[in-house]
Amino acid sequence: MRFLIPIFILLIIGTSSFGQNQKADTVKTGIYVTSIHDINFKDKEYSVNFWLWLKYKNKDFDFLNNLEIPQAKEVIKSFSTIDTTGNEIYMLMKLQCVMKDSWAIDNFPFDHQILRLSIENSQYDSKSLIFVTDTLGKPYDPRFTLRGWNIDSLVTSVGIKKYETAFGDESIKTPHTEYSNYKVRIGISRDAFGLFCKMFLGMYVAFLISFMCFYIHADSIDSRFGLSVGSLFAVIGNKYIIDGSLPDTITFTLVDTLHGITLVFILIVIVSTAISLRMIKKGKVEDASKFDKRFAIILLGIYILLNAFFIIQSINA
């Protein structure tokens, strides 16, 4: 009898531990993206349409009302259907979402972006509900095209989202809750050559106009200074136009680098014009002419090399 009492106690403890460590119900989840559009760089948002399906056994999981997309600005459920035949519930819905996201614009317009989308259930935490990915089939329609962009990848995964709050539940001693989430990451890269030419053509034309000062005789001081100063303001105006279509950032982007280089080189042209003028006033006309021709070649070569270096670096980033 003495030996039976400890065994009985162990059985009670084991049964209690089993109840506490009961596994969470799984929800097999899949997605099929049909379109991505309206990528808005200034407002940091984009729109996405997709089909979402969920397979689970727990009838209490009300995804129709408790489905949550944390980064979404707007969610429209245009279609939904539920099949409860058999031991498993199958829910299919079509969603149209306007998503908020952050952009990496350091290498604009040769930038690569990651569009993020995640799904949670607002009622059940990770102790009760765990998402599992359904990897059967393709996750997006290969026929749809994203204007101006190339779709590099679309990866689905699951994870745990941690919230450092109890959401007002006083029964939870530590303000910490965890929810399972289903994550979608879409990698896109810009088809940038045409856009680059369109945006930076004015800057390069302005630099070449200032560069032509080297082929105007140093006596024509008004013409040389006038062209250089006009080019300086043209480059500044071109930069403000490009900045108007981009979100605010504290980092130094490719746009800032190329415009900064151009402004510095136009300033060097103005300084070289002043040097040539000084030579002319000292009667060194031939020396001034030689200085302009040699300095023009060196300046143009360095300018082209610097632009090529930063552009190639951004393309390969």
Side-chain angles (χ1 to χ4, degrees):
M1 190 68 180
R2 291 179 181 177
F3 296 103
L4 292 174
I5 292 172
I7 295 171
F8 182 69
I9 293 171
L10 288 172
L11 286 172
I12 293 173
I13 294 172
T15 305
S16 175
S17 299
F18 177 78
Q20 290 175 359
N21 298 327
Q22 192 173 6
K23 288 185 178 180
D25 291 320
T26 58
V27 179
K28 196 171 185 180
T29 310
I31 194 171
Y32 189 75
V33 179
T34 56
S35 71
I36 301 170
H37 49 277
D38 296 339
I39 295 180
N40 190 326
F41 250 54
K42 186 66 177 176
D43 295 333
K44 298 182 181 181
E45 62 185 37
Y46 69 95
S47 299
V48 57
N49 296 347
F50 59 93
W51 288 93
L52 178 72
W53 61 90
L54 307 110
K55 300 176 183 179
Y56 52 93
K57 294 181 179 179
N58 192 334
K59 295 181 179 180
D60 294 331
F61 295 160
D62 186 6
F63 281 99
L64 190 62
N65 296 313
N66 297 323
L67 182 72
E68 183 178 356
I69 303 177
Q71 303 96 334
K73 177 182 176 181
E74 180 183 354
V75 178
I76 298 174
K77 297 174 185 176
S78 59
F79 173 82
S80 65
T81 181
I82 301 175
D83 183 4
T84 57
T85 58
N87 297 326
E88 189 177 61
I89 298 172
Y90 171 74
M91 174 177 284
L92 176 67
M93 60 181 72
K94 187 174 184 180
L95 301 173
Q96 300 172 359
C97 302
V98 178
M99 305 296 300
K100 298 295 289 186
D101 212 329
S102 58
W103 308 120
I105 62 169
D106 292 358
N107 299 313
F108 177 86
F110 303 101
D111 49 324
H112 303 267
Q113 304 294 339
I114 299 293
L115 306 182
R116 301 169 184 86
L117 172 71
S118 65
I119 295 165
E120 298 176 13
N121 187 297
S122 59
Q123 187 176 4
Y124 293 91
D125 60 16
S126 59
K127 295 178 182 177
S128 305
L129 185 153
I130 291 291
F131 285 104
V132 178
T133 57
D134 184 354
T135 56
L136 186 64
K138 292 185 177 181
Y140 70 96
D141 186 352
R143 292 171 297 180
F144 90 82
T145 56
L146 186 56
R147 187 177 180 183
W149 295 86
N150 299 314
I151 300 174
D152 299 327
S153 63
L154 195 155
V155 180
T156 60
S157 62
V158 294
I160 299 294
K161 179 68 177 293
K162 298 179 181 180
Y163 294 92
E164 300 305 323
T165 178
F167 298 101
D169 189 351
E170 296 180 358
S171 64
I172 300 176
K173 295 180 180 180
T174 305
H176 177 87
T177 51
E178 296 181 352
Y179 286 81
S180 178
N181 62 356
Y182 175 79
K183 298 182 288 187
V184 181
R185 289 176 174 265
I186 307 168
I188 59 175
S189 58
R190 196 189 297 274
D191 188 7
F193 180 74
L195 180 62
F196 178 84
C197 294
K198 190 186 213 177
M199 299 184 79
F200 289 92
L201 180 62
M203 182 192 78
Y204 287 125
V205 169
F207 171 75
L208 290 175
I209 289 173
S210 69
F211 178 76
M212 290 305 296
C213 293
F214 289 113
Y215 298 95
I216 298 175
H217 197 274
D219 283 340
S220 305
I221 185 65
D222 292 337
S223 299
R224 294 185 67 162
F225 273 113
L227 285 176
S228 299
V229 173
S231 300
L232 200 66
F233 283 105
V235 173
I236 294 172
N238 189 79
K239 185 180 185 305
Y240 275 108
I241 291 172
I242 296 176
D243 286 345
S245 61
L246 298 176
D248 296 331
T249 179
I250 58 173
T251 58
F252 209 70
T253 65
L254 178 65
V255 172
D256 299 323
T257 301
L258 296 184
H259 281 90
I261 290 171
T262 304
L263 289 172
V264 169
F265 272 71
I266 292 175
L267 180 61
I268 293 173
V269 172
I270 295 173
V271 173
S272 66
T273 298
I275 294 172
S276 295
L277 179 62
R278 190 173 181 181
M279 289 180 179
I280 291 291
K281 288 187 175 181
K282 290 182 178 180
K284 300 178 181 179
V285 178
E286 292 184 4
D287 291 342
S289 179
K290 290 179 181 178
F291 172 79
D292 284 341
K293 291 178 181 178
R294 291 174 183 174
F295 195 76
I297 295 172
I298 295 170
L299 191 73
L300 183 61
I302 296 173
Y303 181 76
I304 292 173
L305 287 175
L306 283 174
N307 274 264
F309 171 77
F310 286 109
I311 291 170
I312 292 172
Q313 188 180 51
S314 296
I315 292 173
N316 296 329

